[in-house]
Amino acid sequence: MKTIFFIAALCFAALPLCAQISQNPVNPAVGDSYSFSATFDEIKDFILGKAKEPVQVDPVPREKNGENAQDVKELPPEASDAAAVDEMTRLAQSGNANFQYNLARCYDRGLKVAQDYKQALYWYQKAAEQGHDKAANNLGCMYLDGRGVEQDYEKAAYWLELSAQKNDTLAILNLGCMYEDGNFGSPDYNKAFEYYQKADKLGCAPAAYELGHCFEVGVGTKANAKKAFSFYKKSADAGYGPAACETGRRYLEGDGVKKDAALARKYLEIAVKKGELKAAGLLGTM
């Protein structure tokens, strides 16, 4: 029933490695993440010496990183994307958890490299084993979806739990989705509601959307139309596309709220910018 939200970050790309993928988890909701580390261009500019400030990457303790972004040597101005790719690959191979995570994201999404789930799985695990919470979340999602590996809910939960212990909001949200979908045996709506609340309190916009759904249909709580709308709007105001679409639709149709064409347009336009096709259709009726 649920689309679980994927956590992640746009980044550099890299060359494939011929290493075997480890199947022994140490650390771990699906959909797109709304949090990013650094874009490929930012990383490339940093290597070329153009960046005004160091590239911001996920904070993993230096002693577990190997080589930090600050250690990257400048390349000549004529350096190409390929040179940046080579340098980022070298950093990942040297044991830098941040670049391992970003390299996995590239293979996972097909950013600057051919999409390769097995390589994504390999690099997510490398980073997760060093305590990288976002990598652990994404690794859990790969086991949850069966991308590049056989679907395994137990391993998915393992990695997600480790990520959630570090308060990664998407991991907490993903565990809530697993409880709601019955991936642990049978649905546990109370547990799902509990996890959604925790993620929402930590500022996770998709979690607020899920709480809106819970209050709308009575998942783990009593149905409450007023609270449902308040959570949909909260999520929409944080920029979450599906919530913006739902909020705009309600203002347009007067569903649980007074009709307001101006507010309907405002939220539907936000949703369209986030790629919500349904919102585009609703705007077309105005």
Side-chain angles (χ1 to χ4, degrees):
M1 168 184 170
K2 265 309 151 271
T3 298
I4 308 176
F5 303 81
F6 207 33
I7 128 0
L10 282 175
C11 52
F12 58 89
L15 298 175
L17 298 176
C18 298
Q20 290 295 323
I21 298 172
S22 171
Q23 297 297 322
N24 300 318
V26 179
N27 287 344
V30 184
D32 271 331
S33 136
Y34 54 91
S35 176
F36 297 93
S37 296
T39 66
F40 179 82
D41 288 337
E42 286 173 334
I43 295 172
K44 181 186 174 187
D45 285 347
F46 179 78
I47 294 175
L48 298 179
K50 298 178 182 179
K52 295 180 180 179
E53 298 178 357
V55 175
Q56 296 300 308
V57 293
D58 300 327
V60 177
R62 181 182 175 85
E63 62 271 15
K64 294 185 178 181
N65 271 349
E67 191 170 6
N68 275 351
Q70 289 85 344
D71 297 323
V72 179
K73 296 180 180 179
E74 292 185 5
L75 298 179
E78 64 272 15
S80 63
D81 281 1
V85 166
D86 288 345
E87 184 68 2
M88 294 304 107
T89 303
R90 183 184 69 78
L91 287 165
Q93 291 173 323
S94 74
N96 186 302
N98 288 312
F99 293 126
Q100 289 171 349
Y101 164 67
N102 282 332
L103 181 55
R105 283 282 293 132
C106 288
Y107 280 117
D108 197 359
R109 295 287 178 167
L111 301 172
K112 303 295 182 179
V113 292
Q115 191 173 54
D116 188 329
Y117 289 144
K118 289 188 179 296
Q119 286 290 332
L121 186 83
Y122 175 85
W123 287 112
Y124 279 142
Q125 180 147 344
K126 284 291 187 182
E129 286 174 347
Q130 297 193 70
H132 198 294
D133 58 325
K134 289 182 174 60
N137 172 70
N138 290 7
L139 182 57
C141 289
M142 295 198 78
Y143 277 110
L144 187 60
D145 291 343
R147 294 198 321 278
V149 69
E150 185 176 350
Q151 188 176 56
D152 189 322
Y153 292 142
E154 184 176 344
K155 287 183 178 179
Y158 179 83
W159 292 106
L160 292 174
E161 285 283 4
L162 287 178
S163 183
Q165 287 172 11
K166 296 187 177 183
N167 282 338
D168 184 274
T169 58
L170 293 179
I172 296 168
L173 173 64
N174 289 336
L175 286 167
C177 292
M178 289 188 73
Y179 278 112
E180 184 174 358
D181 292 346
N183 296 143
F184 295 105
S186 59
D188 188 332
Y189 299 130
N190 291 331
K191 202 74 173 177
F193 185 74
E194 176 186 327
Y195 273 80
Y196 293 151
Q197 282 186 308
K198 182 177 180 180
D200 171 61
K201 289 177 181 178
L202 290 171
C204 181
Y209 176 79
E210 294 303 326
L211 285 174
H213 167 74
C214 288
F215 279 112
E216 182 176 4
V217 300
V219 172
T221 186
K222 291 182 179 180
N224 185 316
K226 185 175 181 180
K227 285 187 176 182
F229 178 76
S230 70
F231 276 106
Y232 282 138
K233 186 174 181 298
K234 177 182 180 181
S235 181
D237 288 336
Y240 186 55
C245 181
E246 179 64 15
T247 302
R249 181 194 69 78
R250 286 172 177 251
Y251 276 122
L252 178 64
E253 300 174 358
D255 183 0
V257 66
K258 185 178 179 180
K259 283 188 177 182
D260 190 317
L263 286 175
R265 182 175 294 279
K266 170 188 171 182
Y267 284 103
L268 289 174
E269 287 179 348
I270 291 173
V272 168
K273 290 179 180 178
K274 297 293 183 177
E276 296 296 316
L277 295 179
K278 180 180 178 181
L282 290 172
L283 272 175
T285 67
M286 297 184 70

